[in-house]
Amino acid sequence: MSRKGNRLLNIPNGVSVSIANNKVEISGSKGKLIVPYPSTIVVTNENNMIKVTRTNEEKQTRMYHGTINSLIHNALVGISEGYTKKLHIEGVGYRANVTGSNFNLNIGFSHPVVLPIPHGISVTCKTPTDIEITGIDKIAVGEFAANIREIRKPEPYNGKGIMYVGEHIIRKVGKTAEGTKK
């Protein structure tokens, strides 16, 4: 029995759900998301609750059961509330800004790093070192945040780099501090 797959998903107010042709289309005031699912999974809308069931007990079908339920849940939350990822830049002279549909980073390279902002995602910089990424698609928001962090990961000696807000970086001592322990 799949605990995730068997949970009933409540449809929030202001969100409409239509199920047809192995696709769940969720739309609301923030936008529209489509979640496709295989034919071995059955999705029904009963009394403003979405129920996901499977047609057989094969291993692949059991794996899809919980995954499809979670994807529909993420789409419902994204349409009603949205998702946000916050990043912080640490380092002397490191900064970021948004210009039109491009995200610019100056993080110690000989050139600025320019990333195009994907469709459906908005990026704001309240300060030159604080980045906020928002959108309705959880996967797209998380992927764009991970791509930004990947450009300059936080390093363990000085703590410089791009990190998630609240992320704990395990710091290491340098060679000089290690050598004085004799």
Side-chain angles (χ1 to χ4, degrees):
M1 293 298 276
S2 170
R3 291 190 187 118
K4 287 281 187 187
N6 289 332
R7 75 180 163 176
L8 295 175
L9 303 174
N10 188 17
I11 300 172
N13 293 333
V15 175
S16 65
V17 176
S18 65
I19 302 166
N21 299 329
N22 290 346
K23 292 180 184 173
V24 178
E25 185 176 305
I26 302 167
S27 58
S29 61
K30 294 190 178 220
K32 180 173 90 168
L33 289 174
I34 297 173
V35 179
Y37 59 91
S39 60
T40 56
I41 299 294
V42 177
V43 179
T44 56
N45 185 356
E46 301 169 356
N47 300 328
N48 223 16
M49 302 285 275
I50 295 179
K51 183 177 183 182
V52 180
T53 56
R54 56 183 181 245
T55 58
N56 58 37
E57 294 297 319
E58 292 179 6
K59 184 176 182 180
Q60 190 69 38
T61 306
R62 288 181 304 184
M63 290 191 299
Y64 281 142
H65 188 204
T67 302
I68 296 302
N69 192 309
S70 292
L71 290 175
I72 294 171
H73 177 263
N74 290 343
L76 287 170
V77 172
I79 292 295
S80 61
E81 301 168 17
Y83 287 101
T84 301
K85 287 281 188 179
K86 295 182 180 180
L87 298 170
H88 179 72
I89 301 174
E90 190 70 39
V92 177
Y94 289 10
R95 61 188 181 279
N97 62 0
V98 178
T99 307
S101 63
N102 290 327
F103 179 66
N104 303 320
L105 285 168
N106 294 318
I107 47 174
F109 295 129
S110 62
H111 58 284
V113 178
V114 178
L115 297 173
I117 299 173
H119 178 70
I121 292 179
S122 65
V123 180
T124 57
C125 296
K126 294 178 182 173
T127 65
T129 59
D130 291 325
I131 306 163
E132 188 172 304
I133 303 164
T134 57
I136 60 172
D137 190 359
K138 184 177 185 178
I139 296 169
V141 169
E143 184 179 9
F144 190 64
N147 289 341
I148 290 172
R149 184 182 181 275
E150 188 71 27
I151 293 170
R152 178 74 80 174
K153 287 184 180 178
E155 51 101 4
Y157 294 102
N158 296 326
K160 296 180 353 181
I162 304 172
M163 61 197 82
Y164 295 111
V165 170
E167 179 181 13
H168 177 69
I169 306 300
I170 298 173
R171 301 294 296 270
K172 293 182 180 179
V173 295
K175 292 180 181 179
T176 57
E178 191 66 33
T180 59
K181 289 185 178 180
K182 290 184 181 179

